[in-house]
């Protein structure tokens, strides 16, 4: 933050700081130096200082990788001349070459500072973009060779690879031999095949017949060349198939080039011998062709069967849906439609599919058949199956589930079935994927007793089972996600289970599983229960917390108390932590991680029961046990643990308290700022508290009369500075519309050269558009005896907005820009009720201005951009508590006059005739 401030001030000491960092003073540990480099280079830190700094920085992989990536982005976006780029290139080449070696385990070139290869790649890309090749090939080769294979998709690497792939033949030949020399210096690869693969398979060099074969063959035929080089060239020439002739003819054509070396001729003859691998490949291709042919025949048969099946149903529906064939027809149609449509994955019923392939009558026939199918079967519950088969079911039960969906097309279907059929229908419910069936709510409405005696009994049986597999149970989860009307039917059973001490832990090894079951039960009650259910749960929770409980269950019940009665929950938490000695990973840290950490079911601090004072107590407890000095320091990616979750919880408590509203919230934040536990961010607490308080008191709140005005006039008098600013901009937009109308005053206004007269015209239009929500003053005097051009006053509050008018025809760009801060803001907008203003600039003719900084000529669009940037700068410098706008009133002629157009047309005609 200190460096950011110095950079913002362009402080002269920054160069001294850069020099101190490059010399590695004791005040610059790695973590600080990383951030300093990214702020100082290249404006305040030279290329040489950067390279010296990079040389001494630590080499922890996680931290340096992130720094290297940021450095690469900085280099990519900074301005460098060619000389600086070359110095930066040479410095990084020296750095990344330290400890250069071949890593056998990864079959990869590495060095002590491989992580700077991406930055080197960025520099090389910029070198190529400056049409530089000589001197850049070796650096590019190192950048790509050293870059991790895990990050080959980085944009800089892909960009450099693209530029190397576009090299001409001569430059690609240079790159080829540079890569070969580099690899030979790092490993022993005498075999030409291995040398060729090392260069072309995993390296930056790409060989293409159309570009490279010519120079490869030319060099191969040069008998003065080193035999090792020619051996490598022969390997490349054999493997590059030109495509103009057969490969065999191509290889035969290489013999005349190497007749001087018998071993090369033998090598070519070896290549031309038939290979056993070729036979195996041909055999494999034949098998693949046979397999593909069989698959096509299978698909053809399936299609033929479907066409035949379709024709039978379409032409002989009576026979297809006869009593003997109805079940098979329904089964086959269900198989066809179940994978299709948005809802069919769960229900299996898709009327639209049947009607599209057949017709509505066929869909109705199928529905009638399905309505009998589900009644003729009886799915079993898990409690009725052997232990090893409780998670399985017959596929035909899925057909029955689809059948009930088909019947449920009738919204009154549940009222038309009896209790016996309702109990049967419930048995299909657990087969549904991802929740209970949609028709369950109608069934509960019509037959609550039948549903409870079947599904409810199964739920009770499930709750009585010994906890296994971390205590998770299917039916309990389905009820949690069910509609409230369905879930409430089963709440009495959950209440009875708790009253009967169903959560008792008889075996300590099952404590975690039982805790998960209790969490699920309490979750259902908290989500779907009424006031009576909440009261009963609160009573049960208080009773359980008086008992001796395993830590797993204690956390669940305390979490439940926090949700139902935050004040009592916090008191219980404070009592639990009173005997805990603060430490990095104490039991209290675990409590915070469990209750408020980054978990799906963590406690929401937005609960209105967490008052600002409760949040303040919770914050003090958090800072006492999750201490700042014990925080984990992570570099790079990591997996959060209990400590990390506890820190997340502490930060969440701080955020919740900072968002607290009202006078109680303000008082709690002020008390928080004065607490020694929060002294490390006291200033931020005060700043946020002030900002939030300003927003609270600056919000619109209409009384009855104002609400009636809003209803009658479609807008209400502004009650805040922001509302005043919105009204002001709205009215200026209306004036823009007026200028575009047929009865526009554009020409009359364009002829005005006196700002006083223009002010009167604009003020009159603003008065016409007031709609009784504001009044208009001209040249009203401020407390400092300064006269504003135009001022709008709200009729319902003391808030005002000011307009500073300037005729743009005779004003310089500097004059207009300086008006925003020196006149509009400093002179007119200092009162608390006058924090919105607009600089209104009229323009009656085309013109250009001198830029106030460098003098270059700018047009009207560039001037508007300049003024908007200045308004944003002034707003930011004042903390954003004012609203400044810039508005251009364009009075320039829109179209040439008709007489002028006719005159021009006559002149053109005369020139054509001449």
């Amino acid at each position: 933050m200190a460096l950011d401030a110095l950079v913002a001030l362009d402080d002269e000491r920054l160069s001294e700081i850069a020099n101190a960092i490059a010399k590695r003073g004791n005040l610059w540990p790695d973590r600080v130096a990383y951030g300093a480099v990214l702020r100082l280079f290249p404006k305040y830190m030279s290329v040489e200082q950067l390279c010296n700094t990079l040389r001494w920085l630590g080499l922890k992989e996680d931290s340096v990788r992130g720094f290297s990536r940021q450095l690469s982005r900085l280099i990519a976006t900074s301005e460098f001349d060619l000389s600086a780029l070359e110095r930066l290139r040479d410095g990084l080449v020296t750095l990344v070459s330290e400890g250069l070696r071949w890593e056998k385990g990864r079959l990869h070139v590495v060095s002590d500072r491989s992580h700077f290869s991406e930055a080197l790649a960025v520099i090389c890309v910029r070198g190529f973009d400056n049409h530089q090749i000589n001197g850049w090939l070796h650096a590019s080769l190192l950048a790509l060779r050293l870059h991790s294979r895990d990050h080959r998709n980085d944009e800089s690497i892909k960009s450099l690879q693209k530029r190397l792939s576009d090299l001409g033949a001569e430059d690609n030949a240079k790159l080829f031999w540079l890569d070969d020399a580099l690899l030979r210096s790092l490993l022993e690869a005498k075999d030409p095949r291995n040398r060729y693969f090392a260069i072309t398979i995993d390296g930056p060099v790409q060989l293409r017949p159309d570009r490279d074969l010519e120079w490869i063959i030319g060099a191969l035929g040069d008998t003065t060349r080193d035999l090792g080089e020619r051996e490598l060239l022969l390997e490349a020439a054999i493997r590059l198939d030109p495509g103009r002739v057969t490969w065999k003819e191509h290889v035969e054509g290489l013999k005349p080039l190497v007749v001087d070396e018998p071993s090369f001729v033998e090598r070519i003859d070896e290549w031309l011998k038939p290979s056993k691998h070729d036979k195996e490949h041909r055999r494999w291709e034949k098998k693949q062709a046979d397999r593909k042919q069989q698959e096509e025949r299978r698909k053809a048969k399936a299609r033929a069967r479907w066409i035949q099946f379709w024709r039978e149903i379409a032409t002989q529906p009576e026979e297809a849906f006869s009593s003997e064939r109805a079940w098979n027809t329904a089964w086959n149609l269900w198989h066809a439609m179940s994978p299709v449509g948005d809802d069919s994955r769960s229900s299996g019923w898709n009327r639209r599919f049947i009607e599209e392939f057949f017709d509505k009558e066929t869909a109705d026939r199928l529905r009638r058949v399905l309505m009998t199918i589900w009644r003729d079967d009886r799915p079993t519950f898990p409690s009725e199956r052997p232990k090893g088969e409780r998670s399985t079911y017959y596929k035909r039960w899925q057909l029955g589930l689809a059948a009930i969906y088909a019947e449920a097309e009738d919204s009154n279907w549940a009222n038309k079935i009896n209790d016996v059929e309702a109990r049967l229908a419930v048995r299909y419910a657990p087969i549904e994927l991802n929740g209970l069936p949609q028709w369950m709510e109608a069934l509960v409405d019509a037959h609550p007793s039948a549903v409870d005696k079947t599904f409810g009994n199964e739920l009770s049986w499930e709750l009585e089972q010994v906890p296994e597999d971390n205590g998770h149970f299917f039916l309990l989860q389905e009820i949690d996600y069910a509609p409230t009307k369905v879930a409430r039917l089963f709440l009495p059973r959950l209440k009875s289970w708790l009253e009967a001490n169903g959560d008792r832990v008889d075996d300590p090894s099952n404590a975690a599983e039982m805790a998960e079951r209790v969490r699920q039960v309490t979750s259902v009650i908290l989500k779907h229960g009424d006031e009576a259910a909440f009261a009963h749960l609160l009573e049960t929770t208080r009773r359980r917390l008086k008992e001796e409980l395993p830590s797993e269950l204690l956390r669940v019940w305390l979490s439940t108390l926090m949700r139902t009665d935050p004040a009592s929950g916090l008191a219980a938490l404070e009592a639990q932590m009173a005997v805990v000695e603060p430490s990095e990973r104490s039991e209290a840290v675990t409590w915070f991680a469990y209750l408020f950490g980054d978990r799906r079911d963590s406690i929401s601090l937005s609960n209105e029961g967490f008052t600002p004072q409760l949040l303040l107590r919770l914050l003090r407890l958090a800072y006492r046990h999750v201490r700042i000095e014990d925080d984990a320091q992570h570099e790079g990616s990591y997996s959060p643990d209990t400590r990390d979750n506890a820190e997340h919880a502490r930060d969440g408590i701080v955020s919740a308290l900072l968002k607290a509203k009202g006078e109680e919230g303000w008082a709690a934040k002020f008390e928080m700022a004065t607490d020694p536990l929060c002294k490390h961010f006291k200033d931020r607490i005060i700043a946020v508290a002030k900002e939030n308080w300003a927003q609270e008191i600056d919000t619109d709140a209409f009384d009855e009369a104002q609400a009636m005005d809003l209803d009658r006039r479609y807008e209400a008098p502004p009650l805040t500075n922001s509302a005043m600013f919105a009204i002001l901009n709205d009215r200026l937009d209306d004036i823009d519309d007026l200028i575009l109308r047929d009865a526009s005053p554009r020409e009359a206004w364009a002829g005005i050269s006196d700002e006083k007269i223009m002010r009167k015209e604009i003020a009159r239009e603003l008065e016409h558009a007031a709609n009784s929500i504001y009044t208009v003053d001209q040249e009203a005097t401020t407390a400092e005896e300064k006269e504003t051009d135009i001022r709008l006053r709200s009729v319902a509050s003391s808030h005002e907005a000011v307009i500073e008018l300037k005729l743009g025809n005779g004003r310089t760009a500097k004059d207009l820009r300086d008006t925003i801060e020196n006149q509009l803001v400093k002179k007119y907008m200092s009162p608390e009720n006058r924090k919105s203003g607009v600089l209104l600039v009229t323009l009656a003719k085309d013109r250009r201005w001198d830029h106030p900084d460098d003098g270059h000529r700018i047009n009207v669009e560039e001037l508007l951009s300049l003024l908007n940037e200045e308004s944003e700068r002034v707003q930011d410098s004042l903390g954003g508590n004012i609203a400044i706008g810039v508005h251009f009133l364009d009075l320039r002629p829109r179209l040439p006059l008709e007489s002028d157009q006719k005159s021009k047309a006559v002149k053109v005609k005369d020139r054509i005739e001449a």
Side-chain angles (χ1 to χ4, degrees):
M1 292 174 67
L3 280 171
D4 286 337
L6 291 173
V7 168
L9 295 169
D10 195 21
D11 195 281
E12 61 184 12
R13 289 166 291 185
L14 288 169
S15 297
E16 299 175 18
I17 292 173
N19 190 49
I21 295 172
K23 292 180 179 179
R24 194 180 186 178
N26 293 331
L27 297 179
W28 299 101
D30 289 355
R31 189 176 179 186
V32 181
Y34 285 143
V37 167
L38 298 174
R39 286 159 173 80
L40 300 179
F41 182 77
K43 185 174 182 180
Y44 305 102
M45 176 178 276
S46 68
V47 168
E48 291 72 23
Q49 289 171 332
L50 171 69
C51 293
N52 287 337
T53 304
L54 298 183
R55 183 167 284 106
W56 68 256
L57 277 173
L59 299 177
K60 290 182 180 180
E61 187 173 353
D62 288 341
S63 57
V64 81
R65 186 187 297 121
F67 165 72
S68 176
R69 190 167 294 274
Q70 294 181 69
L71 178 63
S72 300
R73 287 196 287 266
L74 178 62
I75 292 172
T77 56
S78 298
E79 293 293 331
F80 298 102
D81 58 27
L82 183 58
S83 173
L85 274 178
E86 290 175 342
R87 297 200 312 275
L88 190 52
R89 174 200 67 194
D90 296 340
L92 283 182
V93 165
T94 302
L95 276 173
V96 301
S97 298
E98 293 180 7
L100 199 65
R101 60 194 179 277
W102 179 265
E103 194 172 82
K104 293 182 179 180
R106 298 169 60 193
L107 300 177
H108 186 49
V109 177
V110 297
S111 76
D112 293 342
R113 303 182 192 280
S114 301
H115 37 262
F116 292 126
S117 58
E118 183 180 357
L120 182 57
V122 171
I123 297 168
C124 290
V125 168
R126 298 191 64 172
F128 278 108
D129 289 345
N130 284 318
H131 308 291
Q132 303 295 314
I133 293 180
N134 293 329
W136 293 88
L137 291 178
H138 176 64
S140 301
L141 183 67
L142 278 176
L144 295 181
R145 277 290 181 188
L146 289 170
H147 202 65
S148 172
R149 296 180 183 181
D150 299 333
H151 303 281
R152 285 293 170 91
N153 288 325
D154 289 348
E155 286 302 318
S156 58
I157 297 300
K158 290 194 294 185
S159 182
L160 183 57
Q161 287 173 330
K162 175 67 170 58
R163 282 158 176 76
L164 293 183
S165 69
D166 292 339
L167 288 174
E170 183 180 350
D171 291 320
N172 202 49
K174 292 178 183 178
L175 186 67
F176 179 86
W177 293 118
L178 283 172
D179 199 20
D180 180 56
L182 173 65
L183 294 175
R184 282 190 289 111
S185 70
L186 299 177
L187 57 91
E188 295 183 6
K190 296 181 179 179
D191 182 81
R193 179 173 174 272
N194 292 339
R195 285 174 65 188
Y196 174 80
F197 284 140
I199 294 172
T200 59
I201 297 300
D202 195 39
V205 179
Q206 298 179 27
L207 295 180
R208 300 196 310 265
D210 60 322
R211 176 188 61 185
D212 301 298
L213 194 55
E214 183 177 349
W215 70 262
I216 290 174
I217 289 177
L220 177 62
D222 183 0
T223 58
T224 63
R225 267 191 175 273
D226 176 75
L227 283 180
E229 291 184 359
R230 292 181 69 198
E231 193 175 31
L232 176 60
L233 289 167
L234 177 60
E235 193 73 24
I238 289 173
R239 294 180 183 277
L240 288 179
D241 185 355
R244 298 185 302 273
V245 293
T246 65
W247 176 82
K248 185 176 181 181
E249 290 173 329
H250 163 65
V251 177
E252 286 279 6
L254 298 176
K255 279 188 178 182
L257 302 174
V258 295
V259 291
D260 62 304
E261 185 57 45
S263 64
F264 290 179
V265 176
E266 291 177 10
R267 176 68 172 151
I268 292 175
D269 291 337
E270 285 291 325
W271 267 96
L272 293 173
K273 289 180 182 179
S275 171
K276 64 176 183 179
H277 298 294
D278 292 339
K279 295 178 182 178
E280 292 177 0
H281 182 69
R282 286 193 293 271
R283 191 181 303 116
W284 177 83
E285 285 183 335
K286 186 177 183 304
K287 286 183 178 179
Q288 284 291 96
D290 291 343
R291 194 175 294 116
K292 184 178 180 181
Q293 193 175 27
Q294 291 173 5
E295 179 66 17
E296 289 175 351
R297 282 199 296 265
R298 186 190 64 78
K299 290 181 179 179
K301 288 180 180 179
R303 178 176 174 79
R305 284 196 300 270
W306 165 250
I307 293 174
Q308 182 181 358
F309 178 60
W310 178 86
R311 285 174 177 165
E312 288 176 358
I313 296 176
T315 59
Q316 300 173 327
E318 296 295 338
E319 183 178 344
F321 288 100
S322 65
S323 57
E324 296 82 8
R325 295 183 55 189
W327 196 94
N328 284 332
T329 299
W331 176 264
N332 290 327
L333 286 175
W334 171 69
H335 267 281
M337 68 179 168
S338 58
V340 183
D342 295 335
D343 300 325
S344 58
R345 286 178 63 85
S346 57
S347 72
W349 167 247
N350 192 332
R351 170 177 282 275
R352 179 185 297 178
F353 174 84
I354 300 300
E355 290 185 354
E356 285 179 355
F357 276 89
F358 300 96
D359 51 29
K360 183 178 183 302
E361 184 180 352
T362 301
D364 291 338
R365 285 178 182 270
L366 176 60
R367 179 174 179 269
R368 288 193 294 270
V369 170
L370 290 173
M371 288 168 61
T372 64
I373 284 178
W374 73 265
R375 288 173 168 83
D376 293 338
D377 210 339
R378 188 178 184 277
T380 59
F381 283 122
S383 62
E384 299 166 342
R385 303 175 208 151
K387 187 173 182 179
E389 300 177 9
R390 287 173 180 169
S391 61
T392 64
Y393 52 83
Y394 292 114
K395 193 170 183 177
R396 69 172 189 270
W397 295 346
Q398 289 180 291
L399 174 61
L401 177 65
I404 301 179
Y405 269 102
E407 184 163 347
E409 281 188 341
D410 179 0
S411 59
N412 200 36
W413 78 279
N415 292 314
K416 295 179 180 179
I417 65 175
N418 56 41
D419 272 7
V420 174
E421 290 172 322
R423 286 196 292 270
L424 177 60
V426 172
R427 289 180 168 272
Y428 288 94
I431 301 169
E432 176 85 353
L433 296 175
N434 303 321
L436 294 175
Q438 296 174 9
W439 42 259
M440 193 73 170
E441 193 168 359
L443 204 61
V444 167
D445 277 341
H447 304 276
S449 178
V451 174
D452 184 52
K453 288 179 180 177
T454 47
F455 201 92
N457 284 345
E458 187 67 12
L459 173 64
S460 295
W461 171 84
E462 184 179 86
L463 290 171
E464 295 303 324
Q465 300 307 298
V466 176
E468 294 178 356
D469 300 328
N470 72 28
H472 185 80
F473 277 84
F474 172 76
L475 295 185
L476 202 53
Q477 175 181 283
E478 299 306 298
I479 293 170
D480 191 11
Y481 293 122
T484 295
K485 184 182 294 184
V486 175
R488 282 188 174 178
L489 179 66
F490 307 106
L491 292 185
R493 290 183 180 270
L494 301 182
K495 175 182 175 182
S496 299
W497 181 74
L498 291 175
E499 288 177 344
N501 293 325
D503 60 326
R504 182 186 298 107
V505 177
D506 297 322
D507 184 354
S509 64
N510 291 332
E513 288 76 12
M514 179 57 78
E516 175 60 19
R517 185 182 301 181
V518 173
R519 187 199 65 77
Q520 287 180 262
V521 169
T522 56
S523 174
V524 172
I525 298 173
L526 288 170
K527 184 175 181 179
H528 300 288
D530 53 16
E531 291 298 325
F534 294 157
H536 177 266
L537 179 60
L538 179 57
E539 180 186 347
T540 303
T541 302
R542 287 172 172 160
R543 187 168 62 250
R544 288 290 189 274
L545 288 173
K546 293 178 181 179
E547 303 171 3
E548 289 292 331
L549 297 173
S551 58
E552 296 88 349
L553 272 175
L554 181 59
R555 283 195 285 266
V556 174
W557 284 116
L558 184 53
S559 172
T560 304
L561 183 60
M562 279 276 190
R563 286 175 165 86
T564 51
D565 185 356
S568 298
L570 178 56
L573 182 63
E574 289 170 332
Q576 289 289 332
M577 294 187 179
V579 296
V580 177
E581 186 69 25
S583 66
E584 181 181 354
R585 298 186 180 273
S586 67
E587 180 65 20
V589 171
T590 303
W591 274 104
F592 274 104
Y594 179 85
L595 294 173
F596 308 104
D598 190 13
R599 300 173 67 246
R600 176 179 57 83
D601 58 341
S602 60
I603 296 171
S604 172
L605 294 172
S606 60
N607 181 341
E608 62 181 14
F610 283 101
T611 63
Q613 281 302 316
L614 283 184
L615 288 172
L616 182 60
R617 285 169 55 191
L618 189 58
L619 179 138
R620 285 171 170 155
L621 198 62
Y623 271 102
R624 192 172 298 121
H625 288 278
V626 189
R627 299 177 300 187
I628 294 290
E629 58 266 30
D630 294 331
D631 282 0
Q633 300 296 327
H634 296 292
E635 295 180 349
S637 58
Y638 67 97
S639 297
D641 59 9
T642 301
R643 176 71 203 188
D644 295 304
N645 282 327
E647 293 170 18
H648 178 88
R650 183 191 63 207
D651 296 341
I653 295 167
V654 172
S655 297
L657 184 51
L658 289 176
K659 292 176 183 177
K661 297 184 181 297
E663 294 186 8
E664 188 181 358
W666 168 261
K669 278 177 270 192
F670 183 78
E671 194 174 346
M672 172 187 177
T674 58
D675 195 310
L677 289 170
C678 303
K679 64 181 180 181
H680 58 288
F681 68 123
K682 173 183 177 180
D683 292 342
R684 171 164 172 75
I685 298 170
I686 295 174
V688 172
K690 288 181 178 178
E691 181 180 350
N692 290 350
W693 181 253
Q695 290 176 354
E696 284 183 54
I697 64 175
D698 208 27
T699 54
D700 293 353
F702 297 151
D703 58 24
E704 185 176 352
Q706 292 160 347
M708 291 174 64
D709 281 343
L710 178 63
D711 184 57
R712 184 171 61 254
R713 300 190 180 98
Y714 302 106
E715 59 183 351
L719 301 177
T720 65
N721 283 313
S722 59
M724 196 74 236
F725 187 64
I727 291 291
L728 174 58
N729 281 284
D730 180 69
R731 292 305 189 265
L732 291 176
D733 288 341
D734 289 343
I735 293 178
D736 285 340
D737 291 338
L738 172 66
I739 295 299
L740 297 176
R741 295 174 189 168
D742 293 337
S744 166
R746 177 193 296 271
E747 292 184 6
W749 288 8
I752 297 175
S753 58
D754 188 333
E755 286 183 357
K756 183 176 181 180
I757 298 175
M758 180 66 77
R759 183 181 68 243
K760 290 181 178 180
E761 293 294 324
I762 293 173
R764 183 171 61 248
E765 293 300 330
L766 291 173
E767 285 178 349
H768 291 163
N771 200 17
S772 300
I773 64 172
Y774 62 80
T775 59
V776 180
D777 280 353
Q778 298 182 57
E779 293 288 4
T781 305
T782 67
E784 295 80 18
E785 299 300 322
K786 303 296 182 181
E787 293 181 342
T788 60
D789 279 343
I790 302 173
R791 189 185 303 181
L792 306 188
R793 286 197 178 102
S794 171
V795 300
S797 69
S798 63
H799 290 91
E800 301 176 350
V802 294
I803 298 176
E804 178 61 24
L805 174 66
K806 298 294 181 184
L807 302 187
N809 290 356
R811 297 280 183 174
T812 65
K814 184 177 187 304
D815 181 23
L816 293 173
R817 186 179 70 174
D818 292 348
T819 295
I820 294 175
E821 182 172 15
N822 297 338
Q823 193 168 348
L824 181 62
V825 175
K826 290 184 177 179
K827 292 182 179 180
Y828 305 147
M829 297 174 62
S830 57
E832 193 62 37
N833 66 325
R834 196 186 308 137
K835 295 298 183 184
S836 55
V838 166
L839 170 62
L840 177 60
V841 181
T842 67
L843 186 64
K845 63 181 181 180
D846 288 322
R847 63 162 295 189
R848 301 174 73 84
W849 293 262
D850 293 333
H851 194 284
D853 294 332
D854 55 23
H856 77 273
R857 301 289 282 174
I858 58 176
N859 58 25
V860 62
E861 288 80 11
E862 292 169 317
L863 175 64
L864 181 58
S865 176
L866 173 73
L867 298 179
N868 281 323
E869 289 176 3
E870 175 66 7
S871 69
E872 291 176 3
R873 183 194 69 78
V874 174
Q875 287 181 94
D876 292 341
S877 68
L878 295 175
N881 64 341
I882 65 171
I884 310 172
V886 177
H887 198 95
F888 257 54
L889 189 59
D890 193 349
L891 303 177
R892 293 174 296 176
R894 294 180 59 202
L895 296 171
L897 296 176
E898 186 176 354
S899 60
D900 292 342
Q901 290 178 327
K902 289 180 179 179
S903 176
K904 290 179 181 178
V906 170
K907 290 179 181 179
V908 170
K909 181 181 178 183
D910 291 343
R911 283 199 299 270
I912 293 173
E913 290 175 351

